[in-house]
Amino acid sequence: MSSKVAEWKINEVSNLSTRIDTSQAVGIVDIGGIPARQLQEMRSNLRGKADLRVSKNTLINIALNNAEKEGIKDLKEYLEGQTSLVFSDINPFKLYNMLEESKTTAPASAGDIAQKDIVIEEGPTSLEPGPVLSDLQQAGLPAGIDGGDVVIQNTTTIVEKGEEINAKVADVLSKLDIEPMEVGLKLRAVVEEATIFEPETLEIDIDKYREDITQAHARSLALAMNIQYPTEETIEPLIKKAYTEALAVGIESEIFEPEVLKKLVAKANIDAGTISSKIGEDFLSDED
């Protein structure tokens, strides 16, 4: 006897398939380890640019099978663990960078591996004196009381990068309102126009890429000018260059063409002024 499939599952698969076929870019995102509050913040920050749809992997798998978008079924191999579909109408490179920029901080939990040195600066805290002083000291912080305030007496690296954060340290960090962990949406793969892109392909330095393109354009333009290759961009400066060079030849050869004649008259006027000035200097010199 076959069991009836829940209607909400049918609707969910249908909605996912429709979104897949109507979105320019569709990707699989790893959301593992992201606390609910941070995930909600990220979804809010992406609103209007990209849409996250958290669903069961089994339903996402069926939706990928049912969708008609070319190449979309290749995403199934990235469907494992805690995942979400991401839909967007921006290109995969911008989508990747946008997801990277959506990363945020999160509290540490016992067993987490420190992503960087966790340093507690010396100075007063907002904690009330009491048992918390012992908690700070047991976690390895030089804490004391000063003027009724709980203070950290020396700047201390409580956990070094790569070390495991134990329960006592995680508790103290929470009490101090310190969120040392960085969490974010990790794009596993995205499909656009039947092409699948992985993070290794999408991870580029946009500023460096733009600089390289600018330099390549400048060098190709210089090359085209040097070999006198006519294009839409070079034809005007090439004509100006040819005109300037032709005018220089005309002046040097004293060819009486209208444009050249103006320059020759101006040059003759300057030469005459120079000669006149020289004769005057010589005459005054002879009188002395």
Side-chain angles (χ1 to χ4, degrees):
M1 181 177 178
S2 60
S3 58
K4 183 178 179 181
V5 178
E7 186 175 352
W8 73 266
K9 292 184 178 181
I10 296 174
N11 292 336
E12 175 72 357
V13 169
S14 176
N15 290 335
L16 290 176
S17 298
T18 300
R19 290 299 307 276
I20 290 170
D21 287 331
T22 57
S23 298
Q24 176 181 325
V26 181
I28 296 291
V29 175
D30 182 352
I31 59 173
I34 304 178
R37 178 176 66 81
Q38 278 76 11
L39 181 59
Q40 193 59 36
E41 287 179 4
M42 293 175 196
R43 296 181 73 169
S44 177
N45 292 336
L46 293 172
R47 189 170 292 121
K49 303 172 186 176
D51 182 30
L52 287 178
R53 181 70 185 190
V54 180
S55 189
K56 293 181 178 295
N57 285 357
T58 52
L59 300 183
I60 294 176
N61 187 68
I62 297 171
L64 291 173
N65 277 325
N66 292 349
E68 298 179 0
K69 182 183 288 291
E70 189 177 355
I72 198 66
K73 292 177 177 59
D74 292 336
L75 284 182
K76 292 195 296 181
E77 63 179 281
Y78 302 93
L79 196 59
E80 60 179 352
Q82 291 181 280
T83 58
S84 167
L85 280 174
V86 60
F87 307 102
S88 182
D89 289 327
I90 62 178
N91 70 66
F93 292 92
K94 288 185 178 180
L95 177 61
Y96 174 82
N97 284 320
M98 190 169 58
L99 294 178
E100 286 295 299
E101 290 170 1
S102 72
K103 289 181 178 180
T104 185
T105 59
S109 300
D112 284 345
I113 303 300
Q115 299 164 332
K116 59 182 179 181
D117 289 352
I118 302 176
V119 180
I120 311 299
E121 300 292 338
E122 66 176 82
T125 71
S126 59
L127 302 175
E128 295 290 333
V132 71
L133 185 62
S134 176
D135 294 337
L136 294 172
Q137 293 171 344
Q138 289 180 24
L141 287 173
I145 305 294
D146 185 5
D149 294 327
V150 176
V151 299
I152 307 300
Q153 296 169 331
N154 295 298
T155 297
T156 303
T157 300
I158 194 171
V159 183
E160 293 185 351
K161 178 181 178 180
E163 290 183 346
E164 183 177 322
I165 301 173
N166 61 46
K168 287 184 178 180
V169 170
D171 179 60
V172 162
L173 292 173
S174 177
K175 285 182 168 67
L176 293 171
D177 293 324
I178 294 174
E179 298 184 343
M181 306 302 294
E182 184 181 66
V183 295
L185 302 166
K186 300 173 186 175
L187 187 65
R188 291 180 178 169
V190 60
V191 168
E192 181 191 46
E193 296 182 354
T195 301
I196 192 159
F197 298 90
E198 294 184 331
E200 293 76 12
T201 303
L202 301 173
E203 188 178 7
I204 61 174
D205 186 331
I206 297 296
D207 292 334
K208 180 66 167 57
Y209 184 75
R210 186 180 291 112
E211 181 183 341
D212 290 344
I213 292 295
T214 301
Q215 288 184 355
H217 174 265
R219 289 170 181 170
S220 62
L221 186 60
L223 175 61
M225 289 292 296
N226 286 335
I227 65 174
Q228 299 182 357
Y229 184 79
T231 68
E232 185 177 342
E233 288 188 74
T234 62
I235 191 64
E236 184 174 341
L238 281 174
I239 291 174
K240 288 181 179 179
K241 183 173 181 287
Y243 170 79
T244 301
E245 291 175 349
L247 189 60
V249 171
I251 294 171
E252 185 69 24
S253 304
E254 298 183 350
I255 299 174
F256 295 150
E257 290 292 333
E259 291 295 318
V260 177
L261 192 57
K262 293 179 184 179
K263 302 291 184 182
L264 288 174
V265 170
K267 181 176 182 296
N269 186 52
I270 293 172
D271 291 344
T274 302
I275 293 171
S276 176
S277 176
K278 179 64 175 173
I279 291 173
E281 289 176 1
D282 292 344
F283 178 76
L284 291 175
S285 176
D286 290 342
E287 286 187 342
D288 291 341

